[in-house]
Amino acid sequence: MEKELDKHLEETMSNHGVLGTLCADHHGMCLGAKGSVSTEAAGMVTRLSELAGQLDPSSEEDPIICVESDASTLMIKKHDDITMAIHKAKVPT
Amino acid sequence: MTTSPVTASLDRVPDQVGYLVMNEDGAVMASSGELENDEAAAGVIMKMVDVALRLQTGTDKQEPFKRLSVIYHEHMYMVTISNQKIYVSKRTNEHHEPITV
């Protein structure tokens, strides 16, 4: 399973502009991280997705969270018990 | 609530259905529309801002976020900090069907 996850993270990293990627379980434990996103961010990433779900408790949908800065964006999405984060560079327009 | 220049400009945000303005302690200073007096949303957003500010990723070290968005299928919340105030805008999410050619 670990190899499979590692392969998916590598595949994500190969996309244009991706600086880092992270995968965490619902306890905030890091299952895998690559590139610019450190394993220490797992807890905060999971917490953000948990809090975002509380914004609209009636909605069954898990929202996408984007933390944008001048140079990059961190996108977070929860799927079942797994939270995935992708750190992407901003493409100059 | 009196209309200040800040809330007047917030009123002009396209597709907006409500807004919140909070101070750094999380106290609601102004609110409108679907977010009017929504203390629950204000509390959750304050916690999210706190986590997002602590979240540091490689290249962004020490750099605070410019905008925090929570995107649902039908609507989205956009959060930004300016002048020690937290601005939250709730907007409807416009969907464009993909074009198949």
Side-chain angles (χ1 to χ4, degrees), chain A residues 19 36 41 44-45 47-48 51-56 59 61 63-72 74 87, chain B residues 41 44-45 47-48 51-52 54-55 57-60 63-73 75 77 90:
Chain A
L19 303 169
S36 64
M44 286 180 272
V45 162
R47 181 72 178 135
L48 267 183
L51 285 167
Q54 292 171 18
L55 261 183
D56 275 299
S59 172
E61 181 194 346
I64 301 164
I65 303 134
C66 295
V67 185
E68 291 172 60
S69 65
D70 283 328
S72 64
L74 183 73
H87 187 210
Chain B
V44 173
I45 288 163
K47 285 180 195 164
M48 288 188 74
V51 177
R54 279 187 284 154
L55 188 69
T57 49
T59 51
D60 285 346
E63 192 191 343
F65 69 83
K66 200 165 84 177
R67 183 168 54 202
L68 171 70
S69 323
V70 181
I71 305 160
Y72 286 87
H73 195 71
H75 60 276
Y77 296 86
K90 184 178 179 181

Side-chain angles (χ1 to χ4, degrees), chain A residues 31-49:
Chain A
L31 300 174
K34 299 246 175 240
S36 64
V37 189
S38 89
T39 54
E40 290 157 27
M44 286 180 272
V45 162
T46 308
R47 181 72 178 135
L48 267 183
S49 71

